[in-house]
Amino acid sequence: MTSSIPPQAETPAIAPTAFTLVITGAPYSSQAPQTALSFARATVAAGHRIHRVFLYGDGVHLASALAAPPSDEPDWPAEWADFLKANGIQGIACIASALRRGVVDSAEQARYALPGHNLRAPFELAGLGEWVDSRLGDGKVLYFHGGR
Amino acid sequence: MTSSIPPQAETPAIAPTAFTLVITGAPYSSQAPQTALSFARATVAAGHRIHRVFLYGDGVHLASALAAPPSDEPDWPAEWADFLKANGIQGIACIASALRRGVVDSAEQARYALPGHNLRAPFELAGLGEWVDSRLGDGKVLYFHGGR
Amino acid sequence: MATLNTLHIVNRTPDQARFQHCLAALADGDALLLTENAVLALAGNHLAGVTVPVYALVADAAARSLEPGAEQGIDYAGMVSLSARAKRVISW
Amino acid sequence: MATLNTLHIVNRTPDQARFQHCLAALADGDALLLTENAVLALAGNHLAGVTVPVYALVADAAARSLEPGAEQGIDYAGMVSLSARAKRVISW
Amino acid sequence: MTTLVVIDRAPYGDWSGREALDMAFALAAFDQPVSLLFLGAGVAWLRPSEAGSDGPAGALGQKAVHRNLSAAPVFGVDEILACRASCERFGVAGNLVMPARPVDVTPELYAGYDHITFAG
Amino acid sequence: MTTLVVIDRAPYGDWSGREALDMAFALAAFDQPVSLLFLGAGVAWLRPSEAGSDGPAGALGQKAVHRNLSAAPVFGVDEILACRASCERFGVAGNLVMPARPVDVTPELYAGYDHITFAG
């Protein structure tokens, strides 16, 4: 899946890079999702490309559809989902990390006979193969970890 | 809410203590829920009492109804829920921690117009007042934190 | 049974700041209980200067292939007993 | 534009082991970027012996009332530019 | 029944300090005596901001922690203590958000509290 | 395109080591070169267990990490490296799970890998 580069984007001074962002820190526990979002916005604005966002470990909580932060705090899952949609970027939550931590889509709900599902669109569940794919591509893979 | 002491419990060598266990570490990220459960089982077996279990911070993920760990790993949310039910112990997830992290019951689903709910019975959402109540009681409050 | 003032329970590896803050808070009449990854302090030189009794959860030590001394190893029932006896418990 | 071999990005307070592992990995031709709580290294004596260029995210520094030196402070666009230029990026 | 709530993590990068502050405020709301101790990297909470009440933390999309902390005396938090050695180590010595008071953190200090807690 | 996966957290108390191992196995499954480095408290993974394959970790209700780690060469992980200084500090020197190899962790060591990653 490719990102659409907005027409107003500047041409980068160096060759455009395709970044994959791996987020391993959870929102409201770490700053990782917000640093990653600021980085992602700056990436697109500079004419580079975000190839994929991959949530791993505690980072999968960013794909929760049920977070309801106080009205005076940013809603990081919603802001990330909006950014991915607006830019046509693929968002993957690692399925093994997500199942352990209670982040599931309707297919996994059915498979494990769970009482509901809570994966927020456009995030999808997939395996570490997606990370390997990014690792083997031409771009760079950056990580946004929790703070401890 | 009082816990029922199983008839086979030994009389403790010292006066029975009412413990409140505060769990702040998440399952599958920290060992906190499993250490706390081993402690809780030993408490009941020794004729002491668990007054209340209070989930705070990342600990609220223990109250998720949607966790689906691999079949060869323990299901900590299910084991905790079974233990609480079997012993009639109150399990509270801090509502402020839970809302930020996407753990909600049907009342909060309705209030925030969320697409679902995922709080596992018998856990209930309530405020820090429950922790203050434990703090002011006769018993002891112990904390089970994440490992970093 | 000897009086136990404060039971200090620590669950973090000894390279973490919280572990060091815990050691700095120990006083005569206290005891230190190592749980989870804190049992790694049983190997190496992480408890230098500690003069209070040191306990460790055997389940955690065994999982990490460490053997507490004869007086040190306790099970969860022992942890409950220490916690009930202590005048104060600090969970670091 | 000078060659940049490895960009080391660290987001943890300087009292954490990972921060120290990062410092031990710096080599000539590399650069160090402090983000999130790592900007606390701008105060106190946490970067002794570091000879590579050090950058810090101004948003993180400002939130913590710290002021990077004139050459040090960069915004997210600067972080993107460094990341794109570097031959290798390590996220500590 | 005096409680000491200890904050040993830096603000913004970690939420546990905010959740510790909420614990202190909850005790104060029930008129219970409570003190705050900033220790280790937690002393970074005490660096005074030169900006307005919303502060430059706005650039991070987070509320500035000074607003939370400055409310502490109003809400009935008895004392705000700062580990002197940690302040020196993290370069905030002699320059604390009011009304924090530098102290030496010793077993004797902890002995003054019935209950000592961290948020995580 | 050689990747170095670094594990710097002790097992059982923290899941990130297991998730780092999964990353290494995923690369190996796609026939990509990958090495593991145990650093800091992560060297506790390398303490040999005297117990059987399920090991005493069973008492914790967790799978013993030795089983995971011993599968590494089978799955195609090229090297298992252990920081020598960390081993000494955490008292596991001279007594490592096979086939871990003690190394000095220097910039030159890291220079041998195109990509270096942690699980969290």
Side-chain angles (χ1 to χ4, degrees):
Chain A
M1 183 178 273
T2 55
S3 69
S4 60
I5 299 173
Q8 74 277 19
E10 293 168 34
T11 305
I14 56 173
T17 300
F19 289 103
T20 288
L21 310 187
V22 179
I23 302 176
T24 70
Y28 311 109
S29 297
S30 83
Q31 203 185 325
Q34 67 188 103
T35 301
L37 184 55
S38 295
F39 183 91
R41 287 177 172 147
T43 297
V44 170
H48 296 289
R49 205 161 67 78
I50 306 283
H51 176 58
R52 176 183 284 136
V53 172
F54 188 79
L55 310 182
Y56 195 56
D58 290 342
V60 298
H61 292 302
L62 184 58
S64 169
L66 302 183
S71 57
D72 58 350
E73 290 181 24
D75 186 336
W76 298 112
E79 292 206 19
W80 256 111
D82 290 347
F83 174 80
L84 294 176
K85 282 186 223 162
N87 293 277
I89 297 169
Q90 185 184 41
I92 301 286
C94 170
I95 188 165
S97 299
L99 284 173
R100 280 194 185 84
R101 289 169 177 83
V103 177
V104 295
D105 61 12
S106 53
E108 300 307 313
Q109 173 187 0
R111 187 192 317 270
Y112 294 98
L114 298 169
H117 57 271
N118 60 347
L119 185 74
R120 181 188 292 260
F123 285 106
E124 301 162 69
L125 300 180
L128 272 167
E130 303 293 312
W131 167 74
V132 172
D133 176 72
S134 286
R135 171 69 194 96
L136 299 183
D138 286 334
K140 285 198 171 84
V141 182
L142 261 63
Y143 299 81
F144 295 85
H145 298 307
R148 18 169 182 140
Chain B
M1 184 178 273
T2 56
S3 68
S4 59
I5 299 173
Q8 75 276 20
E10 294 169 33
T11 304
I14 56 172
T17 300
F19 288 102
T20 289
L21 310 187
V22 179
I23 302 175
T24 70
Y28 312 109
S29 297
S30 82
Q31 203 184 326
Q34 67 188 102
T35 302
L37 183 56
S38 295
F39 183 92
R41 286 177 172 147
T43 297
V44 170
H48 296 290
R49 204 160 67 78
I50 305 283
H51 176 57
R52 174 183 286 136
V53 173
F54 189 79
L55 310 182
Y56 195 55
D58 290 343
V60 298
H61 291 302
L62 185 59
S64 169
L66 301 183
S71 57
D72 59 350
E73 290 181 24
D75 186 337
W76 299 113
E79 291 206 21
W80 256 110
D82 291 346
F83 174 81
L84 293 176
K85 282 186 222 162
N87 294 277
I89 297 169
Q90 185 184 40
I92 301 285
C94 170
I95 189 166
S97 298
L99 285 173
R100 279 193 186 85
R101 289 169 176 84
V103 177
V104 295
D105 61 12
S106 54
E108 300 307 314
Q109 174 188 358
R111 188 192 317 272
Y112 293 99
L114 297 169
H117 58 271
N118 60 345
L119 185 74
R120 180 188 292 260
F123 285 105
E124 302 163 68
L125 301 179
L128 273 168
E130 302 294 312
W131 168 74
V132 173
D133 176 72
S134 286
R135 172 68 194 97
L136 299 183
D138 287 334
K140 284 198 171 83
V141 182
L142 261 63
Y143 299 81
F144 295 85
H145 297 308
R148 18 169 182 138
Chain C
M1 212 178 293
T3 299
L4 174 54
N5 284 335
T6 300
L7 175 66
H8 300 263
I9 305 177
V10 60
N11 73 332
R12 295 160 206 271
T13 51
D15 60 346
Q16 292 188 58
R18 186 82 64 89
F19 189 99
Q20 300 306 322
H21 295 317
C22 169
L23 293 194
L26 301 174
D28 284 349
D30 292 353
L32 175 63
L33 171 57
L34 308 172
T35 68
E36 303 181 0
N37 280 343
V39 300
L40 295 185
L42 294 174
N45 186 34
H46 302 289
L47 298 171
V50 172
T51 56
V52 305
V54 177
Y55 302 97
L57 276 178
V58 287
D60 282 313
R64 293 161 184 83
S65 304
L66 288 160
E67 246 178 85
E71 307 277 295
Q72 283 187 320
I74 62 171
D75 59 10
Y76 293 102
M79 181 179 177
V80 169
S81 168
L82 283 174
S83 300
R85 264 178 61 204
K87 291 184 188 157
R88 185 176 72 164
V89 179
I90 305 180
S91 308
W92 292 87
Chain D
M1 216 178 292
T3 298
L4 174 54
N5 285 334
T6 300
L7 175 66
H8 300 263
I9 305 178
V10 60
N11 73 332
R12 295 159 206 272
T13 51
D15 59 347
Q16 292 188 59
R18 186 81 64 87
F19 189 98
Q20 301 305 323
H21 295 318
C22 169
L23 292 194
L26 301 174
D28 284 349
D30 292 353
L32 175 64
L33 171 56
L34 308 172
T35 69
E36 302 181 0
N37 279 343
V39 300
L40 295 186
L42 295 173
N45 187 35
H46 303 288
L47 297 172
V50 173
T51 56
V52 306
V54 177
Y55 302 97
L57 275 178
V58 287
D60 282 313
R64 293 159 183 86
S65 305
L66 288 159
E67 245 177 85
E71 308 279 294
Q72 284 188 319
I74 62 171
D75 58 11
Y76 293 101
M79 181 178 178
V80 169
S81 169
L82 283 173
S83 301
R85 263 178 61 204
K87 291 184 188 157
R88 186 176 71 165
V89 180
I90 305 180
S91 308
W92 292 88
Chain E
M1 294 300 284
T2 302
T3 301
L4 180 68
V5 176
V6 187
I7 295 180
D8 67 348
R9 301 245 170 72
Y12 303 115
D14 189 290
W15 252 252
S16 72
R18 291 177 191 266
E19 289 176 324
L21 209 58
D22 286 344
M23 294 170 86
F25 288 176
L27 284 169
F30 285 89
D31 290 323
Q32 297 304 314
V34 59
S35 296
L36 280 168
L37 170 64
F38 291 90
L39 182 65
V43 298
W45 276 74
L46 302 172
R47 198 184 298 282
S49 174
E50 285 138 30
S53 61
D54 276 316
L60 294 181
Q62 291 187 26
K63 282 187 290 185
V65 296
H66 299 101
R67 283 173 73 178
N68 304 36
L69 190 53
S70 60
V74 179
F75 279 107
V77 172
D78 297 311
E79 303 171 295
I80 301 181
L81 307 175
C83 169
R84 201 187 310 270
S86 303
C87 286
E88 278 163 26
R89 189 160 170 225
F90 286 92
V92 295
N95 191 21
L96 302 182
V97 159
M98 289 300 293
R101 181 162 64 84
V103 292
D104 294 319
V105 175
T106 62
E108 292 70 35
L109 176 85
Y110 291 121
Y113 302 89
D114 301 305
H115 188 71
I116 294 169
T117 184
F118 297 80
Chain F
M1 292 302 283
T2 302
T3 301
L4 180 69
V5 176
V6 188
I7 294 181
D8 67 347
R9 301 246 170 70
Y12 303 114
D14 189 288
W15 252 251
S16 71
R18 291 177 190 267
E19 289 176 324
L21 209 57
D22 286 344
M23 294 170 85
F25 287 176
L27 283 169
F30 285 89
D31 289 323
Q32 297 305 312
V34 58
S35 297
L36 280 169
L37 169 64
F38 291 89
L39 181 66
V43 297
W45 276 74
L46 302 172
R47 198 184 298 281
S49 176
E50 286 139 30
S53 61
D54 276 316
L60 294 181
Q62 290 187 27
K63 281 187 291 186
V65 296
H66 299 100
R67 282 173 73 179
N68 304 37
L69 190 53
S70 60
V74 179
F75 279 108
V77 172
D78 298 310
E79 303 170 294
I80 301 182
L81 309 174
C83 169
R84 200 187 310 269
S86 303
C87 285
E88 279 164 26
R89 188 161 171 223
F90 285 93
V92 294
N95 190 22
L96 302 182
V97 160
M98 289 300 293
R101 181 163 63 84
V103 292
D104 293 319
V105 176
T106 61
E108 291 70 35
L109 177 84
Y110 291 121
Y113 302 90
D114 301 306
H115 187 70
I116 295 168
T117 183
F118 298 81

